[in-house]
Amino acid sequence: MKIPFLDLKAQYDSIKPEIHAAIQQVMDSCAFAGGPFVRTFEKQFATFCGCDHCMGVGSGTEALWLTLLALGVGLGDEVITVPNTFIATAEAVSFCSATPVFVDIDEKTYTMDPQKLEDYLQIRLKFGASHLTPRPKAIIPVHIFGQTADMDSIMFIARKHGLYVIEDACQAHGAEYKGRPAGSMGDAGCFSFYPGKNLGAYGEAGAVTTNTADLAEKITILRDHGQTKKYYHERIGWNARMDGIQGAVLSVKLKHLPAWNRARREKAMMYNDLLSGIDSLILPYAADDANHVYHVYAVRTQQRDALLKYLADENIYCGIHYPVPVHLQTAYSNMGVKNNNLKVSERVARELLSLPMYPELTDKQQIRVKEKIQEFLSI
Ligand SMILES: *Cc1c(COP(=O)(O)O)cnc(C)c1O
């Protein structure tokens, strides 16, 4: 039995006729770049996220980048985020000529620790307030693995210090915090529809959600070369439009997303039941007020690398999210360590192992994963 880490084919097979019909419609109307299929999806996704506005863009990375640009983040600004994320969160900051700054995560949820955020801002208020040093301007909490960050605490701290909040919701389509959807709590929410995400396109795509009309308008202009009218350019923008085919595919898949997210939660509960007897394994923690959508189901063990290899030899394929925290990546090695207290992020990067997780995963597969983990740990 081979158990892949992801099974995009199984999902495609389950919705093939709908997908083909939707793509055929785009082909027939030749609305390939932006256009009506993208606009329809934007309306549907805004509603899904409980937001007034949604702007489709080319990727999650562009969603983050254009949002920062639209908020006026640039040279001389700091943007505070966490190191245990996909590098795009920090890259978007760097591509605005701003400086990413990292604060540590909570050891249970793996999301930004609000106390560490507040501590950092207090230190900056005391010692860092000079016109020569960058100023904190925005915070990007990451809803890592499909669980929202502690948004009430983060929003409270952000408002106290006059900072913007951009939710990196690239792994959290449909997740909720105290009943509020991911992407609806900060100034903006950024989503990726990379094929492997809970809501994945058949190519690259992303979106920004917001309740602020002014921000929505700025992003709409920025993603289309800064133009308000064809060939009349108000500011320097970029080509960051979503493809028509991706809009049509995403509209079809969005209808299935609630059921797929429910299935992921059921698979997570099943793993929890199966694995709870194994003492040396730390299972994912879902906060009471979070509706976790398990983009990733990650366990922790000090024998992570050996277990990964053992399972791969048994045709069970796992992932590591992420092996190197962003502040330790070669790409960021010139930053100088501004904030040395990132021990939790560094520790979990050595211990986290992502097990196979997708709505189509079968009971049999999950039982086999458990048996092989048990076998390894009892050697
Ligand atoms: C996937 C992802 C991104 C980037 O999205 P792309 O669509 O691949 O550009 C950003 N942040 C996080 C946390 C992600 O998981």
Side-chain angles (χ1 to χ4, degrees):
M1 187 195 287
K2 185 180 165 196
I3 308 178
F5 179 63
L6 258 185
D7 193 348
L8 298 181
K9 183 75 166 63
Q11 188 172 86
Y12 170 56
D13 286 342
S14 74
I15 53 173
K16 214 175 217 174
E18 290 171 88
I19 290 289
H20 288 196
I23 292 177
Q24 189 61 54
Q25 274 193 318
V26 181
M27 303 305 285
D28 288 339
S29 67
C30 294
F32 295 123
F37 297 97
V38 172
R39 280 198 294 278
T40 299
F41 171 69
E42 287 172 337
K43 284 205 193 84
Q44 294 164 338
F45 197 65
T47 304
F48 180 81
C49 295
C51 287
D52 293 339
H53 309 277
C54 168
M55 289 70 65
V57 292
S59 67
T61 310
E62 284 181 343
L64 289 159
W65 178 50
L66 295 188
T67 301
L68 290 164
L69 283 178
L71 290 171
V73 172
L75 192 65
D77 293 327
E78 271 184 0
V79 178
I80 304 166
T81 187
V82 289
N84 64 319
T85 180
F86 182 56
I87 194 164
T89 318
E91 277 177 324
V93 176
S94 301
F95 253 58
C96 295
S97 309
T99 308
V101 172
F102 303 104
V103 297
D104 215 352
I105 55 169
D106 176 82
E107 180 138 17
K108 275 159 82 181
T109 62
Y110 311 130
T111 61
M112 181 180 278
D113 183 338
Q115 188 57 51
K116 301 278 171 60
L117 172 66
E118 178 66 26
D119 291 349
Y120 174 73
L121 289 166
Q122 289 302 336
I123 290 168
R124 292 291 273 113
L125 278 178
K126 257 198 196 138
F127 304 109
S130 138
H131 64 286
L132 295 173
T133 52
R135 313 164 291 277
K137 180 129 181 187
I139 304 166
I140 311 183
V142 180
H143 302 326
I144 199 82
F145 300 162
Q147 171 157 245
T148 50
D150 180 355
M151 288 304 291
D152 277 352
S153 305
I154 291 169
M155 292 307 294
F156 178 80
I157 294 165
R159 293 311 180 226
K160 188 168 80 179
H161 293 276
L163 306 175
Y164 293 119
V165 175
I166 300 157
E167 296 170 63
D168 184 334
C170 289
Q171 302 188 3
H173 322 70
E176 286 172 1
Y177 173 85
K178 301 184 180 173
R180 281 128 69 196
S184 70
M185 295 170 276
D187 295 286
C190 294
F191 290 86
S192 164
F193 306 118
Y194 182 75
K197 303 289 163 102
N198 285 27
L199 178 60
Y202 288 159
E204 303 277 354
V208 183
T209 52
T210 183
N211 287 310
T212 308
D214 173 61
L215 183 61
E217 193 188 328
K218 285 188 176 132
I219 292 168
T220 303
I221 292 170
L222 278 170
R223 72 161 173 199
D224 196 15
H225 299 291
Q227 65 188 1
T228 42
K229 209 169 102 184
K230 202 168 174 70
Y231 303 135
Y232 290 83
H233 306 272
E234 255 177 36
R235 61 181 290 185
I236 299 169
W238 201 254
N239 174 0
R241 294 180 298 255
M242 183 189 278
D243 288 348
I245 286 180
Q246 303 314 334
V249 165
L250 288 166
S251 282
V252 169
K253 294 186 76 177
L254 181 58
K255 287 190 289 211
H256 298 278
L257 182 60
W260 287 335
N261 278 345
R262 270 198 304 279
R264 282 176 184 272
R265 273 197 296 278
E266 283 162 17
K267 311 292 162 195
M269 295 312 123
M270 169 106 173
Y271 269 143
N272 287 348
D273 285 347
L274 288 168
L275 301 173
S276 60
I278 306 178
D279 284 344
S280 57
L281 221 52
I282 299 174
L283 304 185
Y285 169 82
D288 287 341
D289 48 17
N291 185 10
H292 196 318
V293 292
Y294 294 97
H295 173 59
V296 166
Y297 183 95
V299 297
R300 266 171 71 196
T301 162
Q302 300 202 358
Q303 304 174 69
R304 190 267 310 275
D305 293 335
L307 177 57
L308 175 80
K309 186 177 177 306
Y310 186 85
L311 294 174
D313 288 343
E314 296 286 345
N315 282 322
I316 297 170
Y317 298 96
C318 298
I320 298 178
H321 300 95
Y322 293 91
V324 182
V326 178
H327 66 290
L328 299 178
Q329 294 284 354
T330 308
Y332 279 107
S333 58
N334 65 340
M335 263 181 52
V337 180
K338 280 192 125 177
N339 184 334
N340 207 7
N341 193 15
L342 301 169
K343 294 288 172 264
V344 179
S345 299
E346 290 172 13
R347 182 162 60 245
V348 303
R350 291 190 294 269
E351 297 180 357
L352 281 169
L353 181 69
S354 311
L355 303 185
M357 169 53 81
Y358 32 92
E360 299 77 15
L361 195 65
T362 65
D363 288 3
K364 252 175 136 172
Q365 289 176 314
Q366 290 193 275
I367 290 165
R368 185 165 169 88
V369 172
K370 176 245 175 169
E371 285 170 356
K372 291 298 160 187
I373 291 176
Q374 213 164 27
E375 204 172 281
F376 169 81
L377 290 170
S378 63
I379 291 171

